[in-house]
Amino acid sequence: MEGASEIVEEISQDAGSSEPLVGMLDMVLLAVLAGVSVYYFFLKDGGSGKNEELQALKSFTISPTQLSSRSNDSSFLAKMKSSGRNVIVFYGSQTGTAEEFAGRLAKEATRYGMKGMVADPEESDMTELSRLTEIDNHLAIFCLATYGEGDPTDNAQEFFELLQAGDEQLDGIQYTVFGLGNKTYEHFNAMGQYVDKRMAELGAVRMFPLGMGDDDANMEDDFITWKDGMWPKVCEVFGLEAQAQDINMRQYKLTVHEEYDPSRLYTGEIARLNSLKIGSQRPPFDTKNPFMAEIKINRELFKGGDRNCMHIELNIEGSRIRYDSGDHVAIYPINNPEMVSRLIQLVDEDANRVITLTNVDEDSSKRHPFPCPCTYLTALSHYVDISAVPRTHVLKELAEYTTDNKEKEQLLLMSGTSDEGKALYQRWVVHDVRNIVHILEDLPSCKPPLDHICELLPRLQARYYSISSSSKLHPNTIHVTANVLCYTTPTGRINKGVCTTFLHGLKPDNGTKHYVPIFVRKSQFRLPIKPGVPVLMIGPGTGIAPFRGFIQDRNLQKEEGKPVGETVLYFGCRNKSKDFLYEEELTEYSSASLIKLYVAFSRDQEDKVYVTHLLEQNKEEVWRIIGKENGHLYVCGDAKSMARDVHALITKICQSEGDMTQTEAEAYVKKMSNQKRYSSDVWS
């Protein structure tokens, strides 16, 4: 356009002060002509890199459907109307389970004479919820996991804020909610409960009562029980036959590539091709664009025994990644190569076969289950969770490929809803911790095609670890403290943790460099803003990880001359001589009077001693910190027993030392939590 302006300006000057030689329309036409001329003479063949741009231009075709599709990517309502759908399933998922449940519900809608679709609220225009009444017999289903301290998952955050604002009236919107949680956590299913209640407050109509899955018990059973009650109710309201039809539930079609360009194959990338190539990465780094961090140090922390605990230091220099003490680092693992090879062998497939799985639903926002095209080896190594315990719908699909009648009946029984089937599934699959490899080994007549296995099993997810360093002391590295998971199952098999086993083998010895894909997830697990506030930290085992960062922060504040409050740490392990993590560091901090250290060695004496025993012994000090001095209490570690026992003990201490009733003590502890003075970073 600058060239066109110059040409018009020259014509005007040549005309002088006499009557203009050209009219306004002529000037516009000349400007367009000039623009075309500039393109032809200066851009068409000029300079390096121009040919690729021109080639892209030549291959680009403008069509109304393409433009419409691109502009309406976030409009789930437009997609539902254009494809005749009436059921939409939104998911809030951190580990993939809620997304998996959403997919199952959308497919099952078809079996009941409806048409469903799955939607990610982060990629959808959720303000359109209020217009869902424009679709007859509509239903919005929400599968929502609760993360952290009663928070929404990352992809449901904006939807949560939209509901909080309350600007949208949802009069007449028919909905139901299934929550995913764990009863060992204080805020059990908080997100599911909030959305269920808030939707009704905004005028929506609850089609079926809230379902609450408990991962501490049997999430699969909870989900099946809920949906098997939900569908008949929906059918009743819609005037449909409540009997599910037996139809093909395949979601993806297989394409095998006999000819392909090796440079166009995915090799483990999360989203963009070649995004994991060292030296060519581009920030910002997140869940879809992880940073390849070099492992600078990977050393053993245990001093004896048959268990392993790693101290890993990840180099983030030049990545622009920032973190604070208490944040989590996510690491994308690779499946055990032996398991991958065994699975491929069991189904008699070619590991190097290049495939693409494409969604048969052309309107789905999820075109492929994972990045395609890729080899089976890549899919099973990077994208499919082959170590996961398969859910019942997987067993039902496997039965179709089982020739032995007894084995087939067993799979169908476990995938059904009878009490006998549920009990068998709980015993044979869950209790015995059988993954897909174990099931195919124990049912030799079951020979499913590998592409169907890739469709059925969940995506391999990143694993999250509490960062065990202070960014103020270590701005260019992230430290991780992790036990290597390895145990014997009731069937005598050795099961290994996916990520910790992967990391354990990556030791930078003899100049060998190893890189892992990472990103940082922010946390609310934070030290008080004022360094003078006393803190009490409880972190047995690897639960010490975030507190190592906290202590480093407090030490730096002390060195800067700031008034640092009392810092008390309760740590527990089995034996002082074997698994006292960071013993030298903690002893040094204790000797310097930065921290007051209490350590419980559970197996160094006849009677086991845990951190809760020490807390009870020091109950006067505990109450002084959390009751009289308004200090902060932090718990990190196992949610099922340790965190629950600590919570009960703190309530008991509030009663005895704070002269409270049981109800008053519970209210005080709840108040501490609401004020962010009682924080937990726990896992089950």
Side-chain angles (χ1 to χ4, degrees), residues 595-654:
I595 65 171
K596 184 179 287 187
L597 180 63
Y598 296 104
V599 185
F601 304 109
S602 63
R603 303 188 184 185
D604 274 353
Q605 60 284 312
E606 186 174 345
D607 295 325
K608 291 184 177 179
V609 177
Y610 297 110
V611 289
T612 46
H613 294 126
L614 301 186
L615 284 164
E616 191 161 23
Q617 289 175 17
N618 302 324
K619 57 186 178 181
E620 295 89 353
E621 180 184 70
V622 171
W623 174 247
R624 173 177 59 79
I625 293 173
I626 67 171
K628 296 180 179 179
E629 299 177 5
N630 287 321
H632 286 222
L633 175 68
Y634 301 90
V635 180
C636 182
D638 169 51
K640 182 173 284 190
S641 53
M642 184 277 297
R644 183 182 288 174
D645 292 344
V646 167
H647 189 275
L649 181 60
I650 294 299
T651 305
K652 181 181 176 183
I653 289 174
C654 289

Side-chain angles (χ1 to χ4, degrees), residues 468 525 527 533-552 554 565-573 579-591 593-601 610-615 618 621-622 624-626 632-637 642 646:
S468 59
F525 202 69
L527 277 171
V533 176
V535 298
L536 194 158
M537 306 173 293
I538 305 163
T542 55
I544 194 175
F547 302 137
R548 183 171 179 261
F550 282 5
I551 292 169
Q552 290 174 357
R554 302 276 268 196
E566 193 172 2
T567 307
V568 181
L569 172 66
Y570 283 81
F571 174 75
C573 61
D579 54 358
F580 188 172
L581 302 180
Y582 303 112
E583 179 181 3
E584 293 77 13
E585 285 183 33
L586 296 177
T587 303
E588 187 176 332
Y589 285 128
S590 178
S591 300
S593 299
L594 176 70
I595 65 171
K596 184 179 287 187
L597 180 63
Y598 296 104
V599 185
F601 304 109
Y610 297 110
V611 289
T612 46
H613 294 126
L614 301 186
L615 284 164
N618 302 324
E621 180 184 70
V622 171
R624 173 177 59 79
I625 293 173
I626 67 171
H632 286 222
L633 175 68
Y634 301 90
V635 180
C636 182
M642 184 277 297
V646 167

Side-chain angles (χ1 to χ4, degrees), residues 302 323 438 615 655:
F302 287 166
Y323 73 94
H438 303 154
L615 284 164
Q655 281 183 261

Side-chain angles (χ1 to χ4, degrees), residues 411-425:
L411 288 169
L412 291 174
L413 179 63
M414 289 188 292
S415 64
T417 57
S418 68
D419 291 340
E420 180 187 1
K422 289 179 179 179
L424 180 59
Y425 171 79

Side-chain angles (χ1 to χ4, degrees), residues 447-468:
K447 298 292 182 183
L450 193 50
D451 67 289
H452 202 178
I453 291 177
C454 289
E455 173 182 327
L456 289 170
L457 296 183
R459 278 289 298 270
L460 183 60
Q461 301 289 332
R463 268 49 174 182
Y464 294 87
Y465 299 93
S466 299
I467 295 175
S468 59

